[in-house]
Coordinates of all heavy atoms in Angstrom, one line a residue:
M1 N 28.4 24.2 -13.5 CA 27.3 23.9 -14.4 C 27.9 23.3 -15.7 O 28.9 23.6 -16.1 CB 26.5 25.0 -14.7 CG 25.6 25.6 -13.6 SD 24.3 26.6 -14.2 CE 24.0 27.6 -13.0
Y2 N 27.1 22.4 -16.2 CA 27.5 21.8 -17.5 C 26.3 21.6 -18.4 O 25.3 21.2 -17.9 CB 28.3 20.4 -17.3 CG 27.5 19.3 -16.6 CD1 26.9 18.4 -17.3 CD2 27.6 19.2 -15.2 CE1 26.3 17.4 -16.7 CE2 26.9 18.2 -14.6 CZ 26.2 17.3 -15.3 OH 25.6 16.2 -14.8
P3 N 26.6 21.7 -19.7 CA 25.4 21.5 -20.6 C 25.4 20.1 -21.3 O 26.5 19.5 -21.4 CB 25.7 22.6 -21.7 CG 27.3 22.7 -21.8 CD 27.7 22.4 -20.3
K4 N 24.2 19.7 -21.6 CA 24.1 18.5 -22.4 C 23.3 19.0 -23.6 O 22.2 19.5 -23.6 CB 23.3 17.5 -21.7 CG 23.9 17.0 -20.4 CD 25.1 16.1 -20.7 CE 25.7 15.5 -19.4 NZ 26.7 14.6 -19.7
T5 N 23.9 18.8 -24.9 CA 23.2 19.2 -26.1 C 23.1 18.0 -27.1 O 23.9 17.0 -26.9 CB 23.9 20.4 -26.7 OG1 25.3 19.9 -27.1 CG2 24.1 21.6 -25.8
G6 N 22.2 18.2 -28.0 CA 22.1 17.1 -29.1 C 20.8 17.4 -29.9 O 20.2 18.5 -29.8
T7 N 20.6 16.4 -30.7 CA 19.4 16.5 -31.6 C 18.7 15.2 -31.5 O 19.3 14.1 -31.2 CB 19.8 16.8 -33.1 OG1 20.6 15.7 -33.5 CG2 20.5 18.1 -33.2
M8 N 17.5 15.2 -31.7 CA 16.7 13.9 -31.9 C 15.5 14.3 -33.0 O 15.2 15.4 -33.2 CB 16.0 13.6 -30.6 CG 15.2 14.7 -30.0 SD 14.6 14.2 -28.3 CE 14.2 15.8 -27.6
T9 N 15.2 13.1 -33.6 CA 14.2 13.3 -34.7 C 12.9 12.6 -34.4 O 12.9 11.4 -34.1 CB 14.7 12.8 -36.0 OG1 16.0 13.6 -36.4 CG2 13.9 12.9 -37.2
A10 N 11.9 13.3 -34.5 CA 10.5 12.7 -34.2 C 10.0 11.8 -35.3 O 10.3 12.0 -36.5 CB 9.5 13.8 -34.1
S11 N 9.5 10.6 -34.9 CA 8.9 9.7 -35.8 C 7.5 9.3 -35.3 O 7.5 9.0 -34.0 CB 9.8 8.4 -35.9 OG 9.1 7.4 -36.7
A12 N 6.5 9.4 -36.0 CA 5.2 9.3 -35.5 C 4.9 10.2 -34.3 O 4.1 9.9 -33.3 CB 4.9 7.8 -35.1
G13 N 5.5 11.4 -34.4 CA 5.3 12.5 -33.4 C 6.0 12.4 -32.1 O 5.8 13.2 -31.2
T14 N 6.9 11.4 -32.0 CA 7.6 11.2 -30.7 C 9.2 11.0 -31.0 O 9.6 10.4 -31.9 CB 7.1 9.9 -30.0 OG1 5.7 10.1 -29.8 CG2 7.8 9.7 -28.7
A15 N 9.9 11.7 -30.1 CA 11.4 11.4 -30.0 C 11.8 11.5 -28.6 O 11.2 12.1 -27.8 CB 12.0 12.6 -30.8
S16 N 12.9 10.6 -28.3 CA 13.3 10.7 -26.9 C 14.8 10.4 -26.9 O 15.3 9.8 -27.9 CB 12.6 9.6 -26.1 OG 12.9 8.4 -26.6
V17 N 15.5 10.9 -25.9 CA 16.9 10.7 -25.7 C 17.1 10.5 -24.1 O 16.5 11.1 -23.4 CB 17.7 11.8 -26.3 CG1 17.3 13.1 -25.6 CG2 19.1 11.6 -26.3
T18 N 18.0 9.7 -23.9 CA 18.6 9.6 -22.5 C 19.6 10.5 -22.2 O 20.6 10.6 -23.0 CB 19.0 8.1 -22.3 OG1 18.0 7.2 -22.4 CG2 19.6 8.0 -20.8
I19 N 19.4 11.4 -21.2 CA 20.4 12.3 -20.8 C 21.3 11.8 -19.6 O 20.7 11.5 -18.5 CB 19.8 13.7 -20.4 CG1 18.8 14.1 -21.4 CG2 20.8 14.7 -20.0 CD1 19.4 14.7 -22.6
P20 N 22.5 11.5 -19.8 CA 23.4 11.1 -18.7 C 23.7 12.2 -17.8 O 24.3 13.3 -18.2 CB 24.6 10.6 -19.4 CG 24.8 11.3 -20.7 CD 23.3 11.7 -21.0
V21 N 23.4 12.0 -16.4 CA 23.5 13.1 -15.5 C 24.0 12.5 -14.2 O 23.6 11.5 -13.8 CB 22.2 13.8 -15.2 CG1 22.3 14.9 -14.1 CG2 21.5 14.3 -16.5
T22 N 25.0 13.2 -13.5 CA 25.4 13.0 -12.2 C 24.4 13.7 -11.3 O 23.6 14.5 -11.8 CB 26.8 13.3 -11.9 OG1 26.9 14.8 -12.2 CG2 27.8 12.5 -12.8
D23 N 24.4 13.5 -10.1 CA 23.4 14.2 -9.1 C 23.6 15.7 -9.3 O 24.8 16.2 -9.4 CB 23.6 13.7 -7.8 CG 23.3 12.3 -7.5 OD1 22.7 11.7 -8.5 OD2 23.7 11.7 -6.5
G24 N 22.5 16.4 -9.4 CA 22.5 17.8 -9.5 C 21.2 18.3 -9.6 O 20.2 17.8 -9.3
I25 N 21.1 19.6 -10.1 CA 19.9 20.3 -10.4 C 19.7 20.7 -11.8 O 20.7 21.3 -12.3 CB 19.7 21.5 -9.5 CG1 19.8 21.3 -8.0 CG2 18.3 22.3 -9.8 CD1 18.7 20.4 -7.4
C26 N 18.7 20.3 -12.5 CA 18.5 20.8 -13.9 C 18.0 22.2 -13.9 O 17.0 22.5 -13.2 CB 17.4 19.9 -14.6 SG 17.0 20.4 -16.3
R27 N 18.7 23.2 -14.4 CA 18.3 24.5 -14.3 C 17.7 25.1 -15.7 O 17.0 26.1 -15.6 CB 19.6 25.3 -14.0 CG 20.2 25.1 -12.7 CD 19.3 25.6 -11.6 NE 19.9 25.3 -10.3 CZ 19.3 25.5 -9.2 NH1 18.0 25.9 -9.2 NH2 19.9 25.3 -8.0
L28 N 18.1 24.6 -16.7 CA 17.5 25.1 -18.0 C 17.2 23.9 -19.0 O 17.9 23.0 -19.1 CB 18.5 26.0 -18.7 CG 18.2 26.5 -20.1 CD1 17.1 27.5 -20.0 CD2 19.4 27.2 -20.8
L29 N 16.0 24.1 -19.5 CA 15.5 23.1 -20.6 C 15.2 23.8 -21.8 O 14.2 24.6 -21.8 CB 14.4 22.2 -20.0 CG 13.9 21.2 -21.0 CD1 14.9 20.2 -21.4 CD2 12.7 20.4 -20.3
R30 N 15.9 23.7 -22.9 CA 15.6 24.3 -24.2 C 15.4 23.3 -25.3 O 16.3 22.5 -25.5 CB 16.8 25.3 -24.5 CG 16.5 26.1 -25.8 CD 17.8 27.0 -26.0 NE 17.6 28.0 -27.0 CZ 17.6 27.8 -28.4 NH1 17.9 26.6 -28.8 NH2 17.4 28.8 -29.2
I31 N 14.3 23.3 -26.0 CA 14.0 22.4 -27.1 C 13.5 23.3 -28.3 O 12.6 24.1 -28.1 CB 13.0 21.4 -26.7 CG1 13.5 20.5 -25.5 CG2 12.6 20.5 -27.8 CD1 12.4 19.8 -24.9
A32 N 14.2 23.1 -29.4 CA 13.8 23.8 -30.6 C 13.6 23.0 -31.7 O 14.4 22.2 -32.2 CB 15.0 24.8 -31.0
P33 N 12.4 23.0 -32.2 CA 12.0 22.2 -33.5 C 12.7 22.9 -34.7 O 12.9 24.1 -34.7 CB 10.5 22.2 -33.6 CG 10.1 23.4 -32.8 CD 11.1 23.7 -31.8
A34 N 12.7 22.2 -35.8 CA 13.2 22.8 -37.0 C 12.4 23.9 -37.5 O 12.9 24.8 -38.2 CB 13.5 21.7 -38.0
T35 N 11.1 23.8 -37.3 CA 10.1 24.7 -37.8 C 9.4 25.5 -36.6 O 9.0 24.8 -35.6 CB 8.9 24.0 -38.6 OG1 9.5 23.2 -39.5 CG2 8.0 24.9 -39.3
A36 N 9.4 26.8 -36.7 CA 8.9 27.6 -35.6 C 7.4 27.4 -35.2 O 7.0 27.7 -34.1 CB 9.2 29.1 -35.9
T37 N 6.6 26.8 -36.2 CA 5.2 26.6 -35.9 C 4.8 25.2 -35.4 O 3.8 24.9 -35.1 CB 4.4 26.9 -37.2 OG1 4.8 26.1 -38.2 CG2 4.5 28.4 -37.5
T38 N 5.8 24.4 -35.2 CA 5.7 23.0 -34.8 C 5.1 23.1 -33.3 O 5.7 23.7 -32.5 CB 6.8 22.1 -34.8 OG1 7.3 22.1 -36.2 CG2 6.7 20.7 -34.3
T39 N 4.1 22.3 -32.9 CA 3.6 22.2 -31.6 C 4.0 20.8 -31.1 O 4.0 19.8 -31.9 CB 2.1 22.3 -31.5 OG1 1.5 21.3 -32.3 CG2 1.6 23.7 -31.9
F40 N 4.2 20.7 -29.8 CA 4.7 19.4 -29.1 C 4.5 19.5 -27.7 O 4.3 20.5 -27.0 CB 6.1 19.1 -29.6 CG 7.1 20.3 -29.2 CD1 7.8 20.2 -28.0 CD2 7.3 21.3 -29.9 CE1 8.7 21.2 -27.6 CE2 8.2 22.4 -29.6 CZ 8.8 22.2 -28.5
D41 N 4.6 18.3 -27.0 CA 4.6 18.2 -25.6 C 6.0 17.7 -25.1 O 6.7 17.1 -25.9 CB 3.6 17.1 -25.1 CG 2.1 17.4 -25.6 OD1 1.8 18.5 -25.8 OD2 1.3 16.4 -25.7
V42 N 6.3 18.1 -23.9 CA 7.7 17.8 -23.4 C 7.5 17.0 -22.1 O 6.7 17.3 -21.3 CB 8.5 19.1 -23.0 CG1 9.8 18.7 -22.3 CG2 8.6 19.9 -24.2
R43 N 8.2 15.9 -22.0 CA 8.1 15.1 -20.8 C 9.6 14.6 -20.4 O 10.4 14.4 -21.2 CB 7.4 13.8 -21.0 CG 7.4 12.9 -19.8 CD 6.5 11.7 -20.1 NE 5.1 12.1 -19.9 CZ 4.1 11.3 -20.3 NH1 4.2 10.1 -20.8 NH2 2.9 11.8 -20.1
I44 N 9.8 14.8 -19.0 CA 11.1 14.2 -18.5 C 10.7 13.1 -17.6 O 9.9 13.2 -16.7 CB 11.9 15.3 -17.7 CG1 12.4 16.3 -18.7 CG2 13.0 14.6 -17.0 CD1 13.3 17.4 -18.0
T45 N 11.2 11.9 -17.7 CA 11.0 10.7 -17.0 C 12.3 10.4 -16.2 O 13.4 10.2 -16.9 CB 10.6 9.5 -17.8 OG1 9.5 10.0 -18.6 CG2 10.2 8.4 -17.0
D46 N 12.3 10.1 -14.9 CA 13.4 9.9 -14.1 C 13.7 8.3 -14.2 O 13.1 7.5 -14.9 CB 13.3 10.3 -12.7 CG 12.4 9.4 -11.8 OD1 11.8 8.4 -12.3 OD2 12.1 9.8 -10.7
R47 N 14.9 7.9 -13.6 CA 15.3 6.5 -13.7 C 14.4 5.5 -13.1 O 14.5 4.3 -13.2 CB 16.7 6.5 -13.1 CG 16.8 6.6 -11.6 CD 18.2 6.5 -11.1 NE 18.2 6.7 -9.6 CZ 19.3 6.6 -8.9 NH1 20.4 6.5 -9.5 NH2 19.2 6.8 -7.6
F48 N 13.4 6.0 -12.3 CA 12.4 5.1 -11.7 C 11.1 5.0 -12.5 O 10.0 4.7 -12.0 CB 12.1 5.5 -10.3 CG 13.3 5.5 -9.4 CD1 13.9 6.8 -9.0 CD2 14.0 4.4 -9.1 CE1 15.0 6.7 -8.1 CE2 15.1 4.4 -8.2 CZ 15.7 5.6 -7.9
S49 N 11.1 5.6 -13.8 CA 10.0 5.7 -14.7 C 8.9 6.6 -14.1 O 7.7 6.5 -14.5 CB 9.4 4.3 -15.0 OG 10.4 3.6 -15.5
L50 N 9.3 7.5 -13.3 CA 8.3 8.6 -12.9 C 8.4 9.8 -13.7 O 9.5 10.3 -14.1 CB 8.5 9.0 -11.4 CG 8.5 7.8 -10.3 CD1 9.0 8.4 -9.0 CD2 7.0 7.3 -10.3
N51 N 7.3 10.4 -14.1 CA 7.2 11.6 -14.9 C 7.4 12.8 -14.0 O 6.6 13.1 -13.2 CB 6.0 11.7 -15.7 CG 5.8 10.5 -16.7 OD1 6.7 10.1 -17.2 ND2 4.6 10.2 -17.0
I52 N 8.6 13.4 -14.1 CA 8.8 14.6 -13.2 C 8.6 15.9 -13.8 O 8.6 17.0 -13.1 CB 10.3 14.5 -12.6 CG1 11.3 14.5 -13.8 CG2 10.5 13.3 -11.8 CD1 12.8 14.6 -13.3
L53 N 8.4 15.9 -15.2 CA 8.0 17.2 -15.9 C 7.1 16.7 -17.0 O 7.4 15.8 -17.8 CB 9.2 17.9 -16.5 CG 8.9 19.2 -17.2 CD1 8.9 20.4 -16.3 CD2 9.7 19.3 -18.4
D54 N 6.0 17.4 -17.2 CA 5.0 17.2 -18.2 C 4.4 18.4 -18.6 O 3.5 19.0 -18.0 CB 3.9 16.3 -17.6 CG 3.6 15.0 -18.6 OD1 4.1 15.0 -19.6 OD2 3.1 14.1 -18.0
D55 N 4.9 19.0 -19.8 CA 4.4 20.3 -20.3 C 3.7 19.9 -21.7 O 4.2 19.2 -22.4 CB 5.4 21.4 -20.6 CG 5.7 22.1 -19.2 OD1 4.9 22.0 -18.2 OD2 6.7 22.8 -19.2
E56 N 2.6 20.6 -22.0 CA 1.9 20.4 -23.1 C 1.7 21.6 -23.9 O 1.7 22.7 -23.4 CB 0.4 19.8 -22.8 CG 0.5 18.5 -22.0 CD -0.9 17.9 -21.7 OE1 -1.9 18.8 -21.7 OE2 -0.9 16.7 -21.4
N57 N 1.4 21.4 -25.3 CA 1.2 22.4 -26.2 C 2.2 23.5 -26.4 O 1.9 24.7 -26.5 CB -0.2 23.1 -25.9 CG -1.4 22.0 -25.9 OD1 -1.3 21.2 -26.8 ND2 -2.2 22.1 -24.9
A58 N 3.5 23.2 -26.4 CA 4.6 24.1 -26.7 C 4.5 24.3 -28.2 O 4.3 23.5 -29.0 CB 5.9 23.5 -26.3
T59 N 4.8 25.6 -28.6 CA 4.8 25.8 -30.0 C 6.2 26.6 -30.2 O 6.5 27.6 -29.6 CB 3.7 26.9 -30.4 OG1 2.4 26.3 -30.2 CG2 3.8 27.2 -31.9
G60 N 6.9 26.1 -31.2 CA 8.3 26.6 -31.5 C 9.3 26.4 -30.4 O 9.2 25.3 -29.8
L61 N 10.0 27.4 -30.0 CA 11.0 27.2 -29.0 C 10.4 27.1 -27.7 O 9.6 27.8 -27.1 CB 11.9 28.5 -29.0 CG 13.0 28.6 -27.9 CD1 14.0 27.4 -28.2 CD2 13.7 29.9 -28.0
Y62 N 10.9 26.0 -27.0 CA 10.4 25.7 -25.6 C 11.8 26.1 -24.7 O 12.8 25.4 -24.9 CB 10.1 24.2 -25.4 CG 9.8 23.8 -24.0 CD1 8.5 24.0 -23.5 CD2 10.8 23.4 -23.2 CE1 8.2 23.6 -22.2 CE2 10.5 22.9 -21.8 CZ 9.1 23.1 -21.4 OH 8.8 22.7 -20.1
N63 N 11.7 27.1 -24.0 CA 12.9 27.6 -23.2 C 12.4 28.0 -21.8 O 11.8 28.9 -21.6 CB 13.4 28.9 -23.9 CG 14.8 29.2 -23.4 OD1 15.6 28.3 -23.2 ND2 14.9 30.5 -23.3
Q64 N 12.6 27.0 -20.9 CA 12.2 27.1 -19.6 C 13.4 27.0 -18.5 O 14.2 26.1 -18.6 CB 11.2 26.0 -19.2 CG 9.9 26.0 -20.1 CD 9.1 27.3 -19.8 OE1 9.0 27.6 -18.6 NE2 8.5 27.9 -20.8
F65 N 13.4 27.9 -17.6 CA 14.2 27.8 -16.4 C 13.4 26.9 -15.4 O 12.3 27.1 -15.2 CB 14.5 29.2 -15.8 CG 15.4 30.1 -16.6 CD1 14.9 31.0 -17.3 CD2 16.7 29.7 -16.7 CE1 15.7 31.9 -18.1 CE2 17.6 30.6 -17.3 CZ 17.0 31.7 -18.1
V66 N 14.1 25.8 -15.0 CA 13.5 24.8 -14.2 C 14.4 24.6 -12.9 O 15.5 25.1 -12.8 CB 13.2 23.5 -14.9 CG1 12.2 23.7 -16.0 CG2 14.5 23.0 -15.4
D67 N 13.8 23.9 -11.9 CA 14.5 23.6 -10.8 C 14.1 22.1 -10.4 O 13.5 21.9 -9.5 CB 14.1 24.5 -9.6 CG 14.9 24.6 -8.4 OD1 16.1 24.1 -8.5 OD2 14.5 25.0 -7.3
L68 N 14.7 21.2 -11.2 CA 14.5 19.8 -11.1 C 15.6 19.1 -10.5 O 16.7 19.1 -11.1 CB 14.0 19.2 -12.4 CG 12.9 19.7 -13.1 CD1 12.6 19.2 -14.5 CD2 11.6 19.4 -12.3
P69 N 15.4 18.3 -9.4 CA 16.6 17.5 -9.0 C 16.9 16.4 -9.9 O 15.9 15.9 -10.6 CB 16.0 16.9 -7.6 CG 14.6 17.3 -7.5 CD 14.3 18.2 -8.7
C70 N 18.1 16.2 -10.2 CA 18.6 15.1 -11.1 C 19.3 14.0 -10.2 O 20.2 14.4 -9.5 CB 19.5 15.6 -12.1 SG 18.7 16.8 -13.2
Y71 N 19.0 12.8 -10.3 CA 19.6 11.8 -9.5 C 19.7 10.5 -10.4 O 19.1 9.5 -10.2 CB 18.7 11.4 -8.3 CG 17.2 11.5 -8.6 CD1 16.6 10.4 -9.1 CD2 16.6 12.6 -8.5 CE1 15.2 10.4 -9.4 CE2 15.1 12.7 -8.7 CZ 14.5 11.6 -9.1 OH 13.1 11.7 -9.4
G72 N 20.7 10.7 -11.3 CA 20.9 9.6 -12.3 C 20.3 10.1 -13.7 O 19.6 11.1 -13.9
N73 N 20.5 9.2 -14.7 CA 20.0 9.4 -16.0 C 18.6 9.7 -16.0 O 17.8 9.1 -15.3 CB 20.4 8.3 -16.9 CG 21.9 8.0 -17.1 OD1 22.7 8.9 -16.7 ND2 22.3 7.0 -17.6
F74 N 18.2 10.5 -17.0 CA 16.6 10.7 -17.3 C 16.4 10.7 -18.7 O 17.4 10.9 -19.5 CB 16.1 11.9 -16.5 CG 16.7 13.3 -16.9 CD1 16.2 13.9 -18.0 CD2 17.7 13.9 -16.2 CE1 16.7 15.2 -18.4 CE2 18.2 15.1 -16.5 CZ 17.8 15.8 -17.7
T75 N 15.1 10.6 -19.0 CA 14.8 10.5 -20.4 C 14.0 11.8 -20.8 O 13.0 12.1 -20.1 CB 13.9 9.3 -20.7 OG1 14.6 8.1 -20.4 CG2 13.5 9.2 -22.2
L76 N 14.4 12.5 -21.8 CA 13.8 13.6 -22.3 C 13.0 13.2 -23.6 O 13.6 12.6 -24.5 CB 14.7 14.7 -22.8 CG 14.3 16.0 -23.5 CD1 13.3 16.7 -22.6 CD2 15.4 16.8 -24.0
T77 N 11.7 13.5 -23.6 CA 10.8 13.0 -24.7 C 10.0 14.2 -25.2 O 9.5 14.9 -24.5 CB 9.7 11.9 -24.1 OG1 10.5 10.8 -23.6 CG2 8.9 11.4 -25.3
V78 N 9.9 14.2 -26.5 CA 9.0 15.1 -27.3 C 8.0 14.2 -27.8 O 8.3 13.2 -28.4 CB 9.8 15.8 -28.4 CG1 8.8 16.5 -29.4 CG2 10.8 16.8 -28.0
R79 N 6.7 14.7 -27.4 CA 5.5 13.8 -27.8 C 4.5 14.7 -28.5 O 4.5 16.0 -28.4 CB 4.8 13.2 -26.5 CG 5.7 12.5 -25.6 CD 5.0 11.9 -24.3 NE 4.3 13.0 -23.6 CZ 3.0 13.0 -23.3 NH1 2.2 12.0 -23.7 NH2 2.4 14.0 -22.7
N80 N 3.7 14.0 -29.3 CA 2.6 14.6 -30.0 C 3.1 15.8 -30.9 O 2.4 16.9 -31.0 CB 1.4 15.2 -29.0 CG 1.0 14.0 -28.1 OD1 0.7 12.9 -28.7 ND2 0.8 14.3 -26.9
A81 N 4.2 15.7 -31.4 CA 4.8 16.7 -32.4 C 3.9 16.8 -33.5 O 3.5 15.7 -34.2 CB 6.2 16.4 -32.8
S82 N 3.5 18.0 -34.0 CA 2.7 18.2 -35.2 C 3.4 17.9 -36.5 O 2.8 17.6 -37.5 CB 2.1 19.6 -35.2 OG 3.2 20.6 -35.3
V83 N 4.7 17.8 -36.4 CA 5.5 17.6 -37.6 C 6.7 16.6 -37.2 O 7.3 16.8 -36.1 CB 6.2 18.8 -38.2 CG1 7.0 18.6 -39.4 CG2 5.1 19.8 -38.6
N84 N 7.0 15.6 -38.0 CA 8.0 14.7 -37.8 C 9.4 15.4 -38.4 O 9.5 15.5 -39.6 CB 7.9 13.4 -38.5 CG 6.8 12.6 -37.7 OD1 6.7 12.6 -36.5 ND2 6.1 11.7 -38.5
E85 N 10.2 16.0 -37.4 CA 11.2 16.7 -37.9 C 12.3 16.7 -36.8 O 12.2 16.1 -35.6 CB 10.9 18.1 -38.2 CG 10.3 18.9 -36.9 CD 9.9 20.4 -37.3 OE1 10.1 20.7 -38.6 OE2 9.4 21.0 -36.4
A86 N 13.5 17.3 -37.0 CA 14.6 17.3 -36.0 C 14.3 18.4 -34.8 O 13.7 19.3 -35.2 CB 15.9 17.6 -36.7
F87 N 14.7 18.0 -33.7 CA 14.6 18.9 -32.5 C 15.9 19.0 -31.9 O 16.7 17.9 -31.8 CB 13.7 18.3 -31.5 CG 12.2 18.4 -31.9 CD1 11.6 17.4 -32.8 CD2 11.3 19.3 -31.3 CE1 10.3 17.4 -33.1 CE2 10.1 19.4 -31.6 CZ 9.5 18.4 -32.5
T88 N 16.4 20.1 -31.6 CA 17.7 20.3 -30.9 C 17.3 20.6 -29.3 O 16.3 21.1 -29.1 CB 18.5 21.4 -31.4 OG1 17.8 22.7 -31.4 CG2 19.0 21.2 -32.9
Y89 N 18.1 20.1 -28.5 CA 17.9 20.4 -27.2 C 19.1 20.8 -26.4 O 20.3 20.5 -26.9 CB 17.4 19.1 -26.4 CG 18.3 17.9 -26.5 CD1 19.3 17.7 -25.5 CD2 18.3 17.0 -27.4 CE1 20.2 16.6 -25.4 CE2 19.2 15.9 -27.5 CZ 20.1 15.8 -26.4 OH 21.0 14.7 -26.4
L90 N 19.0 21.5 -25.3 CA 20.0 22.0 -24.5 C 19.5 21.8 -23.0 O 18.4 22.3 -22.7 CB 20.4 23.5 -24.6 CG 21.2 24.1 -23.6 CD1 22.6 23.5 -23.4 CD2 21.4 25.6 -23.9
V91 N 20.1 21.0 -22.2 CA 19.8 20.8 -20.9 C 21.1 21.3 -20.0 O 22.2 20.9 -20.3 CB 19.6 19.4 -20.6 CG1 19.3 19.1 -19.0 CG2 18.4 18.9 -21.4
V92 N 20.8 22.2 -19.1 CA 21.9 22.7 -18.3 C 21.7 22.2 -16.8 O 20.7 22.4 -16.2 CB 22.1 24.2 -18.3 CG1 23.1 24.8 -17.4 CG2 22.2 24.7 -19.7
I93 N 22.8 21.4 -16.3 CA 22.8 20.9 -15.0 C 23.7 21.5 -14.0 O 24.8 21.9 -14.5 CB 23.2 19.3 -15.1 CG1 22.3 18.6 -16.2 CG2 23.1 18.7 -13.8 CD1 20.8 18.5 -15.8
Q94 N 23.4 21.9 -12.8 CA 24.3 22.5 -11.9 C 24.6 21.3 -10.9 O 23.7 20.6 -10.4 CB 23.5 23.5 -11.1 CG 24.4 24.2 -10.0 CD 23.6 25.2 -9.3 OE1 22.5 25.5 -9.5 NE2 24.3 26.0 -8.5
E95 N 25.9 21.0 -10.7 CA 26.3 20.0 -9.8 C 26.2 20.5 -8.4 O 26.3 21.6 -8.0 CB 27.7 19.6 -10.1 CG 27.9 19.0 -11.5 CD 29.3 18.5 -11.7 OE1 30.2 19.4 -11.8 OE2 29.4 17.3 -11.8

């Protein structure tokens, strides 16, 4: 397993980052806004522009165990954030 971590800052309620991944399974997705009361939506889009995860109305820490196949880079997007601020993320991939 290997982690991918970083930060992204929302502008107009949206922030996104491309996660470089070799083939594997995404096991953990953790997104934390700077403020615990911030609400936001989470989306993962694959390299074919298909939305493979779409969760809405997360508040504060979004910490989910997932079982998503990864087949190349994907885009992690925070949408509809109630506050334009920094978000930290952790994505754990199992090869």
